[in-house]
Amino acid sequence: FAMRKVRIGEGWNIRQVRAAVNKADALRHDTQAMSDEQLMEALGRPGHPEGMFFPDTYKYAKYSSDVELLRLAMRTMDRKLEAAWEGRDPALPVKNPYDLLKLASIVEKETGHSADRTQVAAVFSNRLKIGMRLQTDPTVIYGLGENFDGNLRRKDLETDTPYNSYTRAGLPPTPISMPGAASLAAAANPADSKALYFVARGDGTSQFSESLTEHNRGVNKYIRGR
């Protein structure tokens, strides 16, 4: 009685998760024709599906239903999120586990080098604490949905959507990806840092800065200087 496997990747969005499940072989595709809303109803969790499924490799019995597979991934995320919330830094500027999930989903998309993850989390946590806008491109890209062609333009950053963290303060209305264990942990316990900015160095790592002046120097060095 051979088991099959399907993988949900860290940082995937719900479209990617559903595409992988729909392609999984010897699985009953009971959710394939469902909308995202209908899918969540079928799982007994009405609402938005983004961020709700834990990235991992899941085994399933041949000809079992994709509903069971997705329910397992959802319950796994419930457990991981609950553990992260229980162990969070008491000074964290988030009100509930769902906000922590949103923060972790941004950390997941913004971390180029795993050693920087808690620093990335600190920047966004510090911004939330002082009411500074998050100004993070992945939220804008998420808001564009299937209209995103791989090239983020200035007009995209200036066009208001519920997910545009340049035009709106605070966390987005939902998570923007499926965060893995490391991003949940980093979001719950960010590095002890006063940094408010970071810039990619081009090798996967980032430079973190406490002041805009210092940040602009980094931008000149790593972005304009390339």
Side-chain angles (χ1 to χ4, degrees):
F1 196 69
M3 299 289 278
R4 300 294 170 97
K5 286 191 290 206
V6 65
R7 178 178 161 266
I8 296 176
E10 292 177 355
W12 282 13
N13 63 33
I14 186 62
R15 287 199 309 275
Q16 292 169 297
V17 171
R18 294 197 66 179
V21 169
N22 289 340
K23 283 206 296 269
D25 95 313
L27 183 66
R28 282 211 330 272
H29 299 290
D30 297 329
T31 68
Q32 192 150 12
M34 294 180 186
S35 67
D36 285 352
E37 290 69 28
Q38 289 167 328
L39 169 66
M40 295 311 284
E41 293 278 350
L43 292 170
R45 184 76 58 84
H48 203 287
E50 195 58 73
M52 292 295 177
F53 304 98
F54 187 73
D56 204 349
T57 298
Y58 294 95
K59 291 186 174 147
Y60 59 91
K62 280 168 74 169
Y63 311 118
S64 58
S65 171
D66 58 0
V67 177
E68 291 313 309
L69 178 76
L70 287 164
R71 185 173 284 125
L72 173 61
M74 184 177 77
R75 290 195 172 144
T76 306
M77 182 60 92
D78 289 346
R79 280 203 317 277
K80 303 281 186 183
L81 178 60
E82 189 181 350
W85 178 252
E86 292 297 321
R88 74 190 182 283
D89 179 341
L92 204 64
V94 297
K95 297 188 211 49
N96 53 52
Y98 191 55
D99 279 355
L100 178 60
L101 187 62
K102 293 178 194 178
L103 181 57
S105 76
I106 294 171
V107 171
E108 186 67 68
K109 296 302 283 183
E110 279 282 19
T111 304
H113 184 65
S114 56
D116 287 342
R117 204 179 304 267
T118 57
Q119 291 262 54
V120 170
V123 167
F124 293 121
S125 178
N126 290 340
R127 286 186 167 209
L128 287 171
K129 280 178 185 163
I130 62 171
M132 183 176 171
R133 289 183 185 172
L134 297 182
Q135 298 187 321
T136 165
D137 293 354
T139 63
V140 180
I141 291 168
Y142 188 83
L144 292 170
E146 300 194 48
N147 297 326
F148 180 61
D149 63 2
N151 187 10
L152 194 63
R153 297 166 179 82
R154 178 171 289 278
K155 78 167 168 51
D156 299 326
L157 301 181
E158 291 166 356
T159 305
D160 183 52
T161 77
Y163 288 90
N164 189 335
S165 57
Y166 288 84
T167 60
R168 301 199 183 193
L171 289 160
T174 72
I176 59 164
S177 74
M178 309 294 165
S183 292
L184 287 167
N189 287 283
D192 184 10
S193 158
K194 292 188 177 67
L196 289 169
Y197 305 91
F198 63 97
V199 59
R201 291 194 180 107
D203 61 358
T205 67
S206 295
Q207 174 185 302
F208 297 86
S209 312
E210 290 181 24
S211 74
L212 187 56
T213 314
E214 193 188 341
H215 174 63
N216 286 337
R217 276 204 298 271
V219 170
N220 281 326
K221 180 173 175 185
Y222 295 113
I223 310 263
R224 301 201 179 102
R226 272 186 215 156

